[in-house]
Amino acid sequence: MLRRRLLTAAMDPVALGVLAATASGLIETAAAAVAPLAADPALVDDLVSANHILYDQGVVDGFGHVSVRHDKDASRFLLARSMAPALVTADDIMEFDRDGNAIDPRGRAVYLERFIHSEIYKTRPEVKAVVHSHSPAVIPFGVTAVPLMPIYHMSAFLGAGVPVFEIRAATPAPTDMLVSSAELGAALARTLGGANVALMRGHGDVVVGQSLTQVVFRAVYTEINARLEAEALRLGDVNFLSGEEAAKASKVDDAIMGRAWELWKQQARAKH
Amino acid sequence: MLRRRLLTAAMDPVALGVLAATASGLIETAAAAVAPLAADPALVDDLVSANHILYDQGVVDGFGHVSVRHDKDASRFLLARSMAPALVTADDIMEFDRDGNAIDPRGRAVYLERFIHSEIYKTRPEVKAVVHSHSPAVIPFGVTAVPLMPIYHMSAFLGAGVPVFEIRAATPAPTDMLVSSAELGAALARTLGGANVALMRGHGDVVVGQSLTQVVFRAVYTEINARLEAEALRLGDVNFLSGEEAAKASKVDDAIMGRAWELWKQQARAKH
Amino acid sequence: MLRRRLLTAAMDPVALGVLAATASGLIETAAAAVAPLAADPALVDDLVSANHILYDQGVVDGFGHVSVRHDKDASRFLLARSMAPALVTADDIMEFDRDGNAIDPRGRAVYLERFIHSEIYKTRPEVKAVVHSHSPAVIPFGVTAVPLMPIYHMSAFLGAGVPVFEIRAATPAPTDMLVSSAELGAALARTLGGANVALMRGHGDVVVGQSLTQVVFRAVYTEINARLEAEALRLGDVNFLSGEEAAKASKVDDAIMGRAWELWKQQARAKH
Amino acid sequence: MLRRRLLTAAMDPVALGVLAATASGLIETAAAAVAPLAADPALVDDLVSANHILYDQGVVDGFGHVSVRHDKDASRFLLARSMAPALVTADDIMEFDRDGNAIDPRGRAVYLERFIHSEIYKTRPEVKAVVHSHSPAVIPFGVTAVPLMPIYHMSAFLGAGVPVFEIRAATPAPTDMLVSSAELGAALARTLGGANVALMRGHGDVVVGQSLTQVVFRAVYTEINARLEAEALRLGDVNFLSGEEAAKASKVDDAIMGRAWELWKQQARAKH
């Protein structure tokens, strides 16, 4: 289900290069006729680390992606080219406009599901970072009737509720399960609403945060919570955090999560 | 249950060497009186990587094997000598004819179950690569009545159905569980039919693909699907991919699976 | 829920430095107007190893902490500054008084939950070391009605009983789940009573011992016991150690646990 | 529950050295007044590898031990001094007589449970190697009524039956769970009978083989079988190997297990 967007700005040499690159088949690109804006190198570096950390912590495998809002223009975001997160380097980070078009693609393939990111950034101005993954322990909660709920204070952010996106409800015809259009991205964003995490039936989940540190923390502890909740449910009735406990614990987590980020970043640097 | 095939071409010095080697007991060889054909070194290199990747990803342990059709002669296939997949090098790759006879054995021991490969290649011309393993999470599905079904889009290829091979149905007398003859290989191939994966009761599974990249991708996600499906079934009724969703998602997976192969290959090279 | 304690000894240059450091927000310090006492470097070294071992063995992740009573003054204890245990070095070890006030903070942030340690040391004179963690396999036992019991001789110390701390019973208003005050620490110590381990609902656990070797051994085998007990309960009724068996086995464990400590310490040194 | 055996051969300088070493407390030694016999260095080397492999494969942790019959005198056996298996070197290998007495202790501490080995060697002449461990996945099967049975051909050796040793039946008074005397060792050997594996309630298991290769193979696949059987039982009724299938498959496993040993040994050498 590859989608290509032909440029009308045919005189643009960058755009011409893109057309040449896409001519050979599977590469998918979508370029917007606007000028690129250099992002803060520290932000790019953190985005690279976020890719590696999500792999090291078992949230992503060869697939999945993480983005961050552009620090120079809040309508844009940064996201790696289509590749395995564990291998991402600063050179692989691309810039996208509000509709998910690559701004300076230079022939690089882009993720089919970049619309997950673009449509959430549109509807959630306070969100600064988005993770999409096939987080393994989360998958069973997306295909059964059991809600994901905060089992301990580290996953208190789940207290805001975890809706499940059913792609069959968003589009009448059977799909390939991918959120590969702006329309499907918008439907997912509507399901997410004001929550921090939404599950995607038969697919994975999406996690949002106000920073890369927060979105990575949330993605890791969503995975851990799913594992522990499944374990606990086998023992019997589970005493989850109350709404008030979750709200209060979330604030503490926000204040201390840098401790985990620092550890994970050091480990990622040593490995990658 | 070692089977040896004595060569009648007694004047052939290669064959004589084989006879000498097999005289000392456990080594099992079967040589065909045809000339070897040098395979594409890139294909051999990918087959070595496939061996290592399947080990790294937990599909094989000290046992299991992966083969690929010969690029110069579609009636032949390439497969390592009898050894642990993690230790395979290019020098260990052997050539086999359509009946599973080693073409240039040079005294090397061969896998007892090479007939899994030979018989599937005979009946499935579009299949280019075959994996046989004792993929751990898959074992429980081979010995119970629960069918393996696609829980998410990454394992959509399971939507083609996953039959279970019962060796008791294929042969009247109790066996050692191994598919160690052409007859048993043919029975397994019949059970597999047009599917991508067949489970083997009390043994493991067989996975087929149109390339090494695809067969490795499928073997890895068959293992992951089994783990996640078992988890999900403990939570309650599972909403699997529909047949149409699985068919559509399979096509996307085929287009993007190179992303995982690239990652796994780099990791395998760094480790082995 | 950050709490700061302003010093009245305003002429003390160390205290003044602390005030300056805390002015910039999140850093939490609490300094006592007493002189620091140099601890035995071997004890500090063991405390550093204990931090690393607990990480290597999966008891702590980016969070959790371990303390030891000061060898020069039994009313004091040693504990790292607020950071991930895996990264702790000798320079990060701080000294605390009986009320959990840092004695020579030098602007270093301290753990919000240091009161877990201070209040247990107050009420349990024989306790020389304390671990607080979010030990993953233990979490389900803190939120369900299933008691943690010794499944084998290695976790015989659980035979002394494993109470569950319910923070809702300790304080009327909803909390952020943290034991972040002397009052909550005292309530937790009361729940612990004479036991070796207490679970904390929706949070984690606390483990005590008469040495770092013992507390680390107990923390590791509490995690393992939780995993194995959950597995066993799925098979059917479990035949736990009797009270007498647990008491006798505990004594043997105390005599041989150095064997595990030596292994873990060597591994931690090689890694960190 | 430390047991010391004072030597009556007081003139023996070796024995005197032992007495001096044991004077300082916890070290437990038991020396026989016979001359040591140099074992084949290759056998010692394999015993060292067996220790490391069992650790690498998750069968032992800081505890557990593996022995092999002496190649020069079948009434003796080789076993490491009391230490973590992962750290064992050739210098740590000690020689024991048929009653479990160390022949040339040189002050080295010995395992409290060496009687597991000595008593099995006495009653099972064909047994050449013994593993005792707290193999984690096996523990639940020792404390519930569910029998361990062969789920696939790799663990076909379980088809000989897996009895459970209940120490309460072997001795009237409550114990510390350890098989720390010849009497308890003999009771365990009686429970084992002619089987390849016996579980020990609330403790672990013992595995025997006709070589180090075989006993290590069996110990590893006993652990894996336990994990997979527990998983399968959650799915529903399990179709285990029949007795005849298990007997036949065992013979094949014996012929091919060197493949796993070679892999594990290479990995152990690279790590340790």
Side-chain angles (χ1 to χ4, degrees):
Chain A
M1 185 28 76
L2 298 178
R3 304 166 67 96
R4 280 183 209 84
R5 190 167 174 281
L6 295 189
L7 296 174
T8 49
M11 305 311 290
D12 181 340
V14 169
L16 285 174
V18 172
L19 287 173
T22 54
S24 61
L26 209 77
I27 294 177
E28 176 195 19
T29 57
V34 294
L37 269 172
D40 179 356
L43 187 68
V44 171
D45 185 59
D46 274 355
L47 182 54
V48 170
S49 291
N51 272 277
H52 299 171
I53 291 169
L54 291 170
Y55 177 76
D56 293 346
Q57 300 298 318
V59 172
V60 300
D61 52 7
F63 304 93
H65 21 90
V66 49
S67 70
V68 69
R69 249 188 227 277
H70 201 298
D71 60 306
K72 301 293 192 308
D73 178 349
S75 77
R76 302 188 187 180
F77 62 96
L78 305 171
L79 178 69
R81 66 179 176 88
S82 177
M83 65 184 300
L87 303 179
V88 168
T89 67
D91 280 348
D92 300 309
I93 302 300
M94 297 177 66
E95 196 179 338
F96 292 85
D97 71 11
R98 72 188 307 272
D99 293 318
N101 300 307
I103 287 176
D104 181 21
R106 286 180 267 145
R108 293 174 288 183
V110 298
Y111 290 123
L112 297 170
E113 299 192 290
R114 61 198 179 279
F115 306 103
I116 294 174
H117 304 264
S118 59
E119 295 303 316
I120 289 174
Y121 286 125
K122 261 183 210 169
T123 59
R124 292 279 299 272
E126 86 288 10
V127 165
K128 296 285 188 289
V130 176
V131 168
H132 166 60
S133 80
H134 314 146
S135 196
V138 171
I139 300 296
F141 288 88
V143 297
T144 57
V146 181
L148 201 60
M149 293 176 69
I151 199 168
Y152 72 160
H153 65 317
M154 301 308 289
S155 45
F157 58 88
L158 297 176
V162 182
V164 179
F165 176 67
E166 171 52 270
I167 200 167
R168 288 173 192 157
T171 183
T175 68
D176 59 11
M177 306 302 291
L178 296 199
V179 177
S180 53
S181 70
E183 293 68 31
L184 285 168
L188 172 59
R190 278 193 299 275
T191 295
L192 176 65
N196 300 314
V197 179
L199 310 190
M200 301 159 79
R201 193 266 308 163
H203 185 160
D205 66 11
V206 61
V207 181
V208 301
Q210 295 181 32
S211 66
L212 280 169
T213 299
Q214 194 186 50
V215 84
V216 167
F217 177 90
R218 286 175 173 175
V220 171
Y221 282 100
T222 296
E223 168 71 13
I224 295 174
N225 190 93
R227 215 179 297 147
L228 299 182
E229 181 176 343
E231 281 290 326
L233 287 167
R234 280 167 217 149
L235 294 180
D237 287 339
V238 176
N239 193 352
F240 291 101
L241 293 203
S242 73
E244 279 175 310
E245 286 173 338
K248 283 171 180 280
S250 271
K251 284 184 190 155
V252 179
D253 289 341
D254 286 347
I256 63 170
M257 54 179 57
R259 210 190 289 171
W261 172 262
E262 199 50 45
L263 171 67
W264 294 333
K265 192 165 172 173
Q266 282 199 27
Q267 293 175 329
R269 282 193 170 150
K271 274 188 221 165
H272 297 279
Chain B
M1 185 29 74
L2 298 178
R3 303 168 66 98
R4 281 183 209 85
R5 190 166 175 282
L6 295 189
L7 295 174
T8 47
M11 305 310 290
D12 181 340
V14 169
L16 286 173
V18 172
L19 287 174
T22 54
S24 61
L26 209 77
I27 293 176
E28 176 196 18
T29 56
V34 295
L37 269 173
D40 179 356
L43 186 69
V44 172
D45 186 59
D46 274 354
L47 182 54
V48 170
S49 292
N51 272 276
H52 299 172
I53 291 169
L54 291 170
Y55 177 76
D56 293 346
Q57 300 299 317
V59 173
V60 300
D61 53 5
F63 304 92
H65 21 91
V66 49
S67 69
V68 69
R69 249 189 227 277
H70 201 298
D71 60 307
K72 301 293 192 308
D73 179 348
S75 77
R76 302 187 187 181
F77 61 96
L78 305 172
L79 177 69
R81 66 179 176 88
S82 176
M83 65 184 300
L87 304 180
V88 168
T89 66
D91 281 348
D92 299 310
I93 302 300
M94 298 176 66
E95 196 180 339
F96 292 85
D97 72 12
R98 71 189 307 272
D99 292 318
N101 300 308
I103 286 175
D104 181 21
R106 286 179 268 144
R108 292 174 289 183
V110 298
Y111 290 123
L112 297 171
E113 299 193 290
R114 60 198 178 279
F115 305 103
I116 294 174
H117 305 264
S118 59
E119 296 303 316
I120 290 175
Y121 286 126
K122 261 184 209 168
T123 59
R124 293 278 300 270
E126 86 289 7
V127 165
K128 295 285 187 291
V130 176
V131 167
H132 166 59
S133 80
H134 314 146
S135 196
V138 171
I139 300 296
F141 288 88
V143 296
T144 57
V146 181
L148 201 60
M149 293 175 69
I151 199 168
Y152 71 161
H153 64 318
M154 302 308 289
S155 45
F157 57 87
L158 297 176
V162 183
V164 179
F165 176 68
E166 171 53 271
I167 200 167
R168 288 172 192 157
T171 182
T175 68
D176 59 11
M177 306 302 291
L178 295 199
V179 177
S180 52
S181 70
E183 293 69 31
L184 286 167
L188 173 59
R190 277 194 299 275
T191 296
L192 176 66
N196 300 314
V197 180
L199 309 190
M200 302 159 78
R201 193 264 311 164
H203 185 159
D205 67 9
V206 61
V207 181
V208 301
Q210 294 181 31
S211 66
L212 281 169
T213 299
Q214 194 187 50
V215 84
V216 166
F217 177 89
R218 286 176 173 174
V220 171
Y221 282 100
T222 296
E223 168 72 12
I224 295 174
N225 190 92
R227 213 180 297 148
L228 299 183
E229 181 176 341
E231 281 290 324
L233 287 167
R234 282 169 215 147
L235 294 181
D237 287 338
V238 176
N239 193 352
F240 292 102
L241 293 204
S242 73
E244 280 175 310
E245 286 173 339
K248 284 171 178 280
S250 271
K251 285 183 190 157
V252 179
D253 289 342
D254 286 347
I256 63 172
M257 53 179 55
R259 209 190 290 171
W261 172 262
E262 198 50 45
L263 171 67
W264 294 335
K265 192 164 174 174
Q266 282 199 27
Q267 292 175 329
R269 282 195 169 148
K271 274 188 221 164
H272 297 279
Chain C
M1 184 28 75
L2 299 178
R3 303 167 66 99
R4 280 183 210 84
R5 190 166 174 282
L6 294 191
L7 295 174
T8 49
M11 305 310 291
D12 181 340
V14 170
L16 285 174
V18 172
L19 287 173
T22 54
S24 61
L26 210 77
I27 293 176
E28 177 197 18
T29 57
V34 295
L37 270 172
D40 179 355
L43 187 68
V44 171
D45 186 58
D46 274 355
L47 183 54
V48 170
S49 292
N51 273 276
H52 299 172
I53 291 169
L54 291 170
Y55 177 76
D56 293 346
Q57 301 298 318
V59 172
V60 301
D61 53 6
F63 304 93
H65 20 90
V66 49
S67 69
V68 69
R69 250 188 225 277
H70 200 298
D71 60 306
K72 301 293 192 309
D73 179 349
S75 77
R76 302 187 187 180
F77 62 96
L78 305 171
L79 177 69
R81 66 179 176 87
S82 176
M83 66 184 299
L87 303 179
V88 168
T89 66
D91 281 348
D92 300 309
I93 302 300
M94 298 177 63
E95 196 180 339
F96 292 86
D97 72 12
R98 72 188 307 273
D99 293 318
N101 299 307
I103 286 174
D104 181 20
R106 286 180 268 144
R108 293 174 289 183
V110 298
Y111 289 123
L112 297 171
E113 298 192 291
R114 60 198 178 279
F115 306 103
I116 294 174
H117 305 263
S118 59
E119 295 304 316
I120 289 174
Y121 286 125
K122 261 183 210 170
T123 59
R124 293 279 298 271
E126 87 287 10
V127 165
K128 296 287 188 289
V130 176
V131 167
H132 166 59
S133 80
H134 314 146
S135 196
V138 171
I139 300 295
F141 288 87
V143 296
T144 57
V146 181
L148 202 60
M149 293 175 70
I151 199 167
Y152 71 160
H153 65 317
M154 301 309 288
S155 44
F157 58 88
L158 296 176
V162 183
V164 179
F165 176 67
E166 171 52 270
I167 200 167
R168 287 172 190 155
T171 182
T175 68
D176 59 10
M177 305 302 291
L178 295 199
V179 177
S180 53
S181 70
E183 294 69 31
L184 286 167
L188 173 58
R190 277 193 300 276
T191 296
L192 176 66
N196 300 314
V197 179
L199 309 190
M200 302 159 78
R201 193 266 307 164
H203 185 160
D205 67 10
V206 61
V207 181
V208 301
Q210 294 181 32
S211 66
L212 280 169
T213 299
Q214 194 186 51
V215 85
V216 167
F217 176 90
R218 286 175 173 176
V220 171
Y221 282 99
T222 297
E223 169 71 12
I224 295 174
N225 190 91
R227 214 179 297 148
L228 298 183
E229 180 176 343
E231 281 290 326
L233 287 166
R234 281 168 216 149
L235 294 181
D237 287 338
V238 176
N239 194 352
F240 291 102
L241 292 203
S242 73
E244 280 175 309
E245 286 173 338
K248 284 171 180 281
S250 270
K251 284 183 191 157
V252 179
D253 288 342
D254 286 347
I256 63 170
M257 54 179 58
R259 209 190 292 171
W261 173 262
E262 198 51 45
L263 171 67
W264 294 334
K265 193 164 172 173
Q266 282 199 26
Q267 293 176 327
R269 281 193 171 150
K271 274 188 221 166
H272 297 278
Chain D
M1 187 25 77
L2 299 178
R3 304 167 67 97
R4 279 182 210 84
R5 191 167 174 282
L6 294 189
L7 296 174
T8 49
M11 305 310 290
D12 181 340
V14 169
L16 285 174
V18 173
L19 287 174
T22 54
S24 61
L26 210 77
I27 293 176
E28 177 196 16
T29 56
V34 295
L37 270 172
D40 179 354
L43 187 68
V44 171
D45 186 57
D46 274 354
L47 182 54
V48 169
S49 292
N51 272 277
H52 299 171
I53 291 169
L54 291 170
Y55 177 76
D56 293 347
Q57 300 299 318
V59 172
V60 301
D61 53 5
F63 305 93
H65 20 90
V66 50
S67 69
V68 69
R69 249 189 228 277
H70 201 298
D71 60 306
K72 301 292 193 307
D73 178 348
S75 77
R76 302 187 186 180
F77 62 96
L78 305 171
L79 177 68
R81 66 179 176 88
S82 176
M83 66 185 300
L87 303 179
V88 168
T89 66
D91 281 347
D92 300 309
I93 302 300
M94 297 176 66
E95 195 180 339
F96 293 85
D97 72 12
R98 71 188 307 271
D99 293 317
N101 300 308
I103 287 174
D104 180 21
R106 285 179 270 144
R108 293 173 288 182
V110 297
Y111 289 122
L112 297 171
E113 299 192 289
R114 61 198 177 278
F115 305 103
I116 294 174
H117 304 264
S118 58
E119 295 303 316
I120 289 174
Y121 286 125
K122 261 184 210 170
T123 59
R124 292 280 298 271
E126 87 288 8
V127 164
K128 296 285 188 292
V130 176
V131 167
H132 166 58
S133 80
H134 313 145
S135 196
V138 171
I139 300 295
F141 288 87
V143 296
T144 57
V146 181
L148 202 60
M149 293 175 69
I151 199 168
Y152 70 161
H153 64 318
M154 301 309 289
S155 45
F157 58 88
L158 297 175
V162 183
V164 179
F165 176 67
E166 170 52 271
I167 200 167
R168 288 172 190 156
T171 183
T175 68
D176 60 10
M177 306 302 292
L178 295 199
V179 177
S180 52
S181 70
E183 293 70 30
L184 286 168
L188 173 59
R190 277 193 299 275
T191 296
L192 176 65
N196 301 314
V197 179
L199 309 190
M200 302 160 78
R201 193 266 309 163
H203 185 159
D205 66 11
V206 61
V207 181
V208 301
Q210 295 181 31
S211 67
L212 280 169
T213 300
Q214 193 186 51
V215 84
V216 166
F217 177 89
R218 287 175 173 176
V220 171
Y221 282 99
T222 297
E223 169 71 12
I224 295 174
N225 191 91
R227 212 179 299 146
L228 298 183
E229 180 175 343
E231 281 290 326
L233 287 167
R234 282 169 215 146
L235 294 181
D237 288 338
V238 176
N239 194 353
F240 291 101
L241 292 203
S242 73
E244 279 175 309
E245 286 173 338
K248 284 171 178 280
S250 271
K251 284 182 191 158
V252 179
D253 288 342
D254 286 348
I256 63 171
M257 54 179 55
R259 210 190 292 171
W261 173 262
E262 198 50 46
L263 171 68
W264 294 334
K265 192 164 173 176
Q266 282 199 27
Q267 293 176 328
R269 281 193 170 150
K271 275 188 220 165
H272 297 278

